[in-house]
Amino acid sequence: MSPEEPSAGRPGPIARLSVQNWVHLILAGFVLVVCGCLVVGGLVLSRISDRTTDLVDRIQPARSASFQLQNALLDQEGGVRGFALTGDTSFLAPYEEGMRTERERLSRVRALVRGEEPYTGDLDRLARASEQWRRIRAEPLIAAVRTGGPTVDTAAPVLRSKAEFDAMRALYRAQQDHLDDARDTARADLGEARVTRDRVLIALVIGFVLAVVSLSLLLHRMVGRPLASLTAASNKVRSGAFTSRIEVRGPSDVRAVAAAAEDMRRRLAAELAESKERETLLAEQTAELRRSNSELEQFAYVASHDLQEPLRKVASFCRLLDKRYSTELDERGRQYIDFAVDGAKRMQVLINDLLTFSRVGRVQQVWKPVDLGAALDRALSNLTLVVEESETVVVREDPLPELLGDSTSLTMVWQNLIGNAVKFRRPDVPCRITVGCVREDGDWHLTVADNGIGIAPEFADKVFVIFQRLHARDEYEGTGIGLSLCRKIIEFHGGLIWLDPEPAEGTLIHFTLPVLPEAPTHTTAELLAPAPLTPRSGDHL
């Protein structure tokens, strides 16, 4: 049984560790390894520093001071011999300067050797020999020359002084040999310390790499592997295998996330099963609704034909009645006949408008690129007579774009908007219609503005409801279906249409169309659903 799998019941201490705890533990391991490397490296470097300091700051300066001590002794011996041979007192200056330098160099070397043997013994013997040479040989010889003058025989004393000084040189060479041995020993120790340093550094690097690799493997096993398992299980569920369970062992928080993901998977699987059941039911209902709406569409065409045929008969017979019996009817009778003919005609127009309104979005044709400028030209061509009679001026402030859509229905939008602007113009003001277009992100924002009688702000929504009229029929003709038809076409193309509540003058209609609209995604059931035809209470028909 691994440390990750304690016996059933409460999890063991390792299993209760979270990812953060494992990271902290591994970081602590890294810190310990680094501290150990620093301590060992510091000890090695301290040893090297000690050897270097001993060689540079003690042994080498002691050898240098020893050489200066030898020079001081040689100056004394040379000065004494020169004075003895010539009697010239100028030769005593090096002798006196040599004694002063000797005392300084002896003090310097004693300070550097710090009482260590055999260096201190060598200095003591050399100092005694030097003092004895001056007391026995140098000082008596100098006194004899000063007393007897140049005539004094100094050959024998000079030779004895030289012989004794040579014995002192042997003491100096012994001292120098000891210092050279100390120098060689220090250099050997320094070289050995450097070799040890290199070996320790290599061992530290290898140990550090092994520690990093070991800790990385531990991190991967205790944290990385459970996270990878959780990722793989989640990706498997995301790919569609909702029946695959998510079970991950590892740190406590990873297991908590896995448990939450498993709970979410179970809920998604349950909701997916319910969704499939609803889709099956919806598909059956859609098929039934498609069949029913197909029959309803056929019925609408048949009904419209059957409704218009009696209307045509009523209108025809009313005209015949007026033609044949107009002389026998009074003014009131002829007026009644005109009412009947006008009602039949308006009923025909109303039926045709209803058919047009119901067909928007029903005919599933392939959308093609439509030039809105060309669509506006076709609408103006259809309205040529009323535009010319009213002397209306249509101004295009901006170039109109090209987009995907149904050319016929978009032409109907322009025709209804321009026709309304001409219809509701002011009689004493030349009619002017302005068409604008700007791009706003992913939509074309189009406007149709006129200088007509305008629409009150409280009717901004009402005008887009089917059969809603703001004026009586004896003032303006029409069925009240034009703007509602425009709204249905614009919304079918993925846009919006609205009335500006506070235009500068007249009426300002805004509508938007997508820059690159996709083909309609409406279902057949949605497109074939009959539009509400019941007018609001209190509205004029």
Side-chain angles (χ1 to χ4, degrees):
M1 184 173 59
S2 68
E4 296 182 21
E5 301 175 357
S7 58
R10 20 182 330 198
I14 294 181
R16 289 197 295 268
L17 293 177
S18 64
V19 173
Q20 185 177 12
N21 298 141
W22 278 109
V23 171
H24 288 169
L25 286 175
I26 291 173
L27 287 178
F30 275 116
V31 170
L32 291 176
V33 171
V34 171
C35 290
C37 293
L38 291 176
V39 169
V40 174
L43 293 175
V44 173
L45 293 178
S46 176
R47 181 184 175 189
I48 294 176
S49 177
D50 292 342
R51 295 295 181 271
T52 304
T53 301
D54 187 58
L55 179 63
V56 174
D57 295 342
R58 197 168 70 89
I59 297 176
Q60 286 295 105
R63 292 183 74 252
S64 176
S66 177
F67 282 123
Q68 294 173 358
L69 175 61
Q70 180 186 18
N71 293 332
L73 294 174
L74 291 174
D75 289 342
Q76 294 179 50
E77 195 273 338
V80 169
R81 184 153 39 92
F83 178 72
L85 294 176
T86 63
D88 187 357
T89 57
S90 63
F91 283 98
L92 295 178
Y95 173 74
E96 295 173 354
E97 179 67 21
M99 287 191 298
R100 185 182 62 80
T101 303
E102 178 188 357
R103 290 191 296 270
E104 293 177 356
R105 295 304 95 188
L106 282 172
S107 299
R108 173 64 175 163
V109 175
R110 288 183 188 278
L112 292 172
V113 298
R114 302 171 187 172
E116 292 185 16
E117 293 294 342
Y119 318 114
T120 302
D122 292 339
L123 287 175
D124 291 340
R125 286 189 292 273
L126 186 60
R128 288 194 299 271
S130 174
E131 179 63 26
Q132 182 178 354
W133 172 78
R134 281 193 297 272
R135 186 180 70 254
I136 297 175
R137 301 300 176 190
E139 294 296 336
L141 182 59
I142 292 172
V145 173
R146 283 178 175 173
T147 301
T151 60
V152 175
D153 184 12
T154 58
V158 168
L159 290 176
R160 288 192 296 271
S161 174
K162 183 178 182 301
E164 194 165 337
F165 190 83
D166 290 340
M168 188 169 55
R169 282 183 176 179
L171 294 176
Y172 170 76
R173 282 195 297 272
Q175 178 208 21
Q176 196 64 33
D177 291 340
H178 290 156
L179 289 175
D180 289 344
D181 292 342
R183 179 200 60 188
D184 295 339
T185 302
R187 284 180 176 176
D189 290 343
L190 181 59
E192 183 181 354
R194 287 173 176 170
V195 172
T196 304
R197 176 202 61 188
D198 295 339
R199 292 174 179 175
V200 169
L201 287 178
I202 294 173
L204 288 177
V205 170
I206 295 175
F208 184 79
V209 171
L210 292 177
V212 170
V213 171
S214 301
L215 293 174
S216 300
L217 292 176
L218 179 63
L219 179 64
H220 173 70
R221 183 176 183 276
M222 304 306 299
V223 177
R225 190 184 299 174
L227 287 176
S229 300
L230 178 58
T231 302
S234 301
N235 289 335
K236 188 176 181 180
V237 173
R238 186 180 63 177
S239 64
F242 293 102
T243 57
S244 177
R245 293 178 57 84
I246 300 177
E247 294 180 347
V248 176
R249 293 186 176 88
S252 59
D253 47 0
V254 174
R255 286 185 281 109
V257 172
E262 171 61 16
D263 182 63
M264 181 174 61
R265 181 202 65 80
R266 286 196 298 266
R267 286 188 282 112
L268 286 175
E271 293 176 0
L272 182 62
E274 295 178 0
S275 176
K276 289 182 178 180
E277 294 178 359
R278 289 194 297 268
E279 286 181 0
T280 303
L281 180 61
L282 182 60
E284 296 175 354
Q285 293 177 347
T286 301
E288 178 63 23
L289 187 59
R290 185 180 293 111
R291 183 192 61 78
S292 176
N293 283 330
S294 177
E295 295 177 355
L296 182 60
E297 184 177 5
Q298 295 176 2
F299 173 77
Y301 282 109
V302 173
S304 64
H305 179 272
D306 292 345
L307 285 174
Q308 291 190 53
E309 182 61 27
L311 289 176
R312 284 194 291 269
K313 286 185 179 181
V314 170
S316 298
F317 280 107
C318 286
R319 293 192 190 96
L320 289 175
L321 184 64
D322 180 52
K323 182 178 180 180
R324 292 185 181 183
Y325 302 102
S326 59
T327 57
E328 300 180 12
L329 297 174
D330 57 6
E331 185 65 25
R332 179 63 62 86
R334 287 192 294 274
Q335 187 179 14
Y336 288 162
I337 292 175
D338 291 338
F339 285 162
V341 173
D342 181 66
K345 290 180 178 179
R346 286 191 290 108
M347 181 61 75
Q348 286 181 326
V349 172
L350 181 61
I351 292 173
N352 289 330
D353 287 347
L354 282 174
L355 284 174
T356 301
F357 185 82
S358 65
R359 286 172 181 167
V360 174
R362 287 192 180 190
V363 181
Q364 296 275 4
Q365 296 179 350
V366 178
W367 284 15
K368 298 179 180 179
V370 178
D371 186 348
L372 289 183
L376 178 57
D377 291 336
R378 289 193 295 272
L380 292 175
S381 176
N382 297 338
L383 298 171
T384 300
L385 183 60
V386 294
V387 170
E388 291 179 352
E389 287 180 352
S390 61
E391 298 180 353
T392 298
V393 177
V394 179
V395 179
R396 307 185 196 192
E397 291 185 336
D398 307 289
L400 296 179
E402 184 180 88
L403 45 78
L404 293 178
D406 181 63
S407 175
T408 302
S409 59
L410 292 175
T411 302
M412 292 171 61
V413 171
W414 289 122
Q415 186 167 329
N416 278 282
L417 296 178
I418 300 298
N420 281 352
V422 174
K423 181 194 302 183
F424 297 105
R425 66 185 182 277
R426 286 183 287 177
D428 54 343
V429 177
C431 182
R432 178 182 176 85
I433 303 173
T434 304
V435 177
C437 177
V438 294
R439 179 167 179 171
E440 297 178 351
D441 297 331
D443 292 324
W444 293 109
H445 184 176
L446 299 106
T447 56
V448 178
D450 61 55
N451 59 349
I453 62 175
I455 300 174
E458 59 266 25
F459 300 122
D461 294 328
K462 181 179 178 180
V463 294
F464 292 103
V465 179
I466 190 171
F467 295 137
Q468 301 305 297
R469 297 175 54 88
L470 304 181
H471 306 278
R473 289 193 182 88
D474 55 356
E475 295 183 69
Y476 297 99
E477 62 180 7
T479 59
I481 203 173
L483 288 180
S484 61
L485 180 62
C486 290
R487 183 174 70 174
K488 189 170 184 181
I489 294 173
I490 293 299
E491 290 178 352
F492 178 68
H493 283 78
L496 297 173
I497 185 169
W498 69 94
L499 178 70
D500 193 325
E502 296 181 356
E505 63 173 347
T507 303
L508 176 58
I509 300 290
H510 299 262
F511 65 97
T512 61
L513 290 172
V515 173
L516 291 174
E518 298 178 355
T521 57
H522 306 76
T523 63
T524 304
E526 292 172 339
L527 298 178
L528 297 182
L533 303 179
T534 305
R536 298 181 181 177
S537 61
D539 293 337
H540 299 287
L541 294 177

